Amino acid sequence: MVQPNSNSEEQRSAVRQDERDRRVHILGVGNIGKLLAHSLATVSDRPAIVLMLHRPALVEIWNREGQSIEIITNGVSNKQTGFEIEAIHDFAEAIKPGGPQNPRSDSSQDVIFNLVIGTKTTQTVAALSAIKGRLTQDSTILFTQNGMGTIDEVNAMVFQDSRTRPKYMTAIVSHGIFSRGPFSCIYGGFGTMNIGCVPHPPPSSLSPLVKGNSRQSSSLASTEYLPNLFAQVPVLAATVVRPPELMEIQFEKLIINAMINPLTVIFDCRNGKLFSNFKILRLMRSLLSEASHVIRSLPELQRVPGMEARFSEESLDKIVLGVAEKTSKNISSMLQDVRAGRETEIDYINGYIVKRGQQLGIDCVYNRTLVRMVTDKVKISDAEIDTSFPHRHPLV
């Protein structure tokens, strides 16, 4: 009688477990989500890549448009295929009878070990709430959005218990990407991707920047997987940075976005049209003065060496003007959202500066006015700046 080969079964089980551990779920297919999914598909020995689609209509479009993600660089199209998909809601309603079959993840109830968040900041809490039951303390979540404050909301509304909370990482992506459809985008500008761990508790408590904790130390190995994957894609220029440096880069990116994106909205122009106009440049510097004051007053940055110089008005002014010049032909992501009728992330950019200013007793009147104007879809000319921002001295 032939005995079952237990070793073979154990090996097959180990292989299945390895495949599950390596699988990467991407929640949301915005510009960053598309870029990262497409990039992972080019990796040798690529893992299974699961696109998590939050609208039934997206599944229909996925079927109709060839079940691929397209990146166009200098007019040359490159399409990647072989993705699995999961619809978070009402999957069955999204597939027409007799329509093409999708490669679909067979593990829709399994634990998600590696999750990349590609949704807008405004949609993150709702999207994570829908899959909360599949995320454990063994899961790693990589946040890739613009702005700040999202992780605070996720902790308050989704993962309140820090003992069972997934491990968090943040990626700060500066590549220029322009959408031309749900699964297609134009690569418009080379940038970088800085990735780092978010300490538990969040950096706002400051102590993790000075003293490590056992939770953070024990999670280092499990948080190496995603950075190592992205490092295999040369065009992403992915680099791992330590939490203090990550936070500084994040605040710097916040300032750049806050000084460029909303101004392109209210003046309805490309990046390069902004600061060649002296009146708009003066307005930007009033916004920047408030933002610099807030950042330099944050308790979590007080022990960071060189913080005062890095976030001085003079230093930030040079950075903002340099980025605006480098991306002069670009349409900012916020202006893309406004023109497409989508909700903007203004509350997580300038709104975040205003909120932190309020906590510190700093009145950010220019930034607060700008948040209201973008929210109300107000457009002005340079001649209307003084009457639109009448809170202090006229900008002369």
Side-chain angles (χ1 to χ4, degrees):
M1 181 176 179
V2 178
Q3 297 295 325
N5 189 333
S6 59
N7 288 337
S8 296
E9 180 57 36
E10 289 175 0
Q11 290 172 354
R12 285 193 292 271
S13 177
V15 169
R16 288 193 295 269
Q17 182 63 44
D18 180 66
E19 290 174 348
R20 286 193 293 268
D21 291 352
R22 296 180 68 239
R23 178 179 279 116
V24 177
H25 290 73
I26 297 181
L27 180 59
V29 285
N31 287 343
I32 297 297
K34 287 194 285 276
L35 174 66
L36 297 185
H38 185 279
S39 298
L40 288 181
T42 68
V43 171
S44 60
D45 190 28
R46 61 183 265 188
I49 305 166
V50 184
L51 307 179
M52 307 188 79
L53 308 180
H54 61 285
R55 295 199 313 270
L58 286 175
V59 183
E60 296 181 353
I61 297 171
W62 176 257
N63 287 330
R64 188 170 62 245
E65 297 189 356
Q67 301 178 5
S68 65
I69 293 180
E70 178 186 41
I71 301 289
I72 300 172
T73 306
N74 296 326
V76 179
S77 170
N78 182 282
K79 294 183 179 182
Q80 294 293 328
T81 59
F83 302 97
E84 300 176 9
I85 65 166
E86 287 183 16
I88 301 177
H89 301 295
D90 302 324
F91 185 92
E93 295 179 10
I95 303 176
K96 296 180 179 179
Q101 297 300 307
N102 297 276
R104 182 182 175 190
S105 174
D106 60 1
S107 56
S108 59
Q109 300 306 314
D110 285 353
V111 170
I112 296 173
F113 289 104
N114 306 290
L115 179 66
V116 177
I117 304 291
T119 63
K120 287 288 187 181
T121 52
T122 53
Q123 302 167 346
T124 301
V125 166
L128 278 175
S129 296
I131 58 172
K132 176 182 177 181
R134 298 174 60 191
L135 295 161
T136 73
Q137 61 183 356
D138 294 320
S139 305
T140 297
I141 301 177
L142 177 65
F143 294 86
T144 67
Q145 301 102 322
N146 284 329
M148 297 182 71
T150 308
I151 290 178
D152 293 333
E153 288 187 351
V154 168
N155 285 343
M157 302 175 70
V158 185
F159 301 113
Q160 294 93 343
D161 189 344
S162 62
R163 296 169 300 177
T164 59
R165 189 176 289 160
K167 294 173 284 292
Y168 297 157
M169 303 190 76
T170 292
I172 304 164
V173 182
S174 62
H175 296 274
I177 314 155
F178 310 97
S179 178
R180 64 183 301 273
F183 301 102
S184 176
C185 59
I186 297 171
Y187 185 79
F190 181 76
T192 60
M193 181 178 182
N194 291 287
I195 309 173
C197 295
V198 177
H200 288 263
S204 56
S205 69
L206 182 60
S207 57
L209 301 183
V210 182
K211 293 183 179 181
N213 55 54
S214 58
R215 169 75 190 274
Q216 183 180 347
S217 299
S218 64
S219 69
L220 288 179
S222 61
T223 54
E224 291 175 357
Y225 175 63
L226 285 173
N228 286 341
L229 273 181
F230 290 118
Q232 296 180 51
V233 185
V235 71
L236 289 179
T239 304
V240 177
V241 297
R242 292 169 57 85
E245 176 66 10
L246 177 74
M247 187 167 58
E248 289 187 83
I249 296 171
Q250 198 168 16
F251 278 121
E252 197 172 88
K253 175 78 178 297
L254 176 76
I255 297 295
I256 293 168
N257 285 337
M259 297 303 109
I260 296 177
N261 290 13
L263 291 180
T264 67
V265 170
I266 67 170
F267 294 109
D268 194 23
C269 66
R270 294 178 183 265
N271 296 0
K273 293 291 185 181
L274 285 175
F275 305 134
S276 58
N277 183 306
F278 182 71
K279 290 184 178 180
I280 299 177
L281 177 63
R282 292 279 298 191
L283 172 60
M284 184 275 285
R285 286 174 172 160
S286 293
L287 293 161
L288 185 63
S289 177
E290 293 178 347
S292 173
H293 188 189
V294 169
I295 300 302
R296 288 183 290 110
S297 302
L298 292 174
E300 59 263 39
L301 288 177
Q302 294 311 301
R303 301 181 196 178
V304 176
M307 178 272 295
E308 283 285 341
R310 182 167 187 169
F311 294 103
S312 69
E313 292 182 43
E314 295 78 9
S315 177
L316 291 174
D317 187 82
K318 291 178 182 177
I319 292 170
V320 171
L321 293 180
V323 171
E325 181 179 359
K326 181 180 177 181
T327 63
S328 61
K329 297 181 181 179
N330 291 5
I331 299 173
S332 75
S333 59
M334 191 175 291
L335 183 55
Q336 291 181 59
D337 286 339
V338 169
R339 289 179 175 178
R342 296 187 294 262
E343 188 176 13
T344 73
E345 297 175 308
I346 188 69
D347 288 338
Y348 298 84
I349 301 176
N350 300 74
Y352 182 83
I353 294 170
V354 172
K355 178 181 177 181
R356 295 304 303 268
Q358 289 173 339
Q359 294 170 352
L360 296 164
I362 301 171
D363 184 17
C364 299
V365 63
Y366 278 94
N367 280 276
R368 187 172 65 249
T369 301
L370 188 56
V371 170
R372 177 187 56 77
M373 294 175 72
V374 171
T375 302
D376 294 344
K377 300 179 173 61
V378 174
K379 297 189 189 311
I380 63 172
S381 68
D382 61 349
E384 299 171 285
I385 291 176
D386 287 350
T387 55
S388 299
F389 294 85
H391 315 283
R392 295 176 183 161
H393 58 81
L395 300 174
V396 294

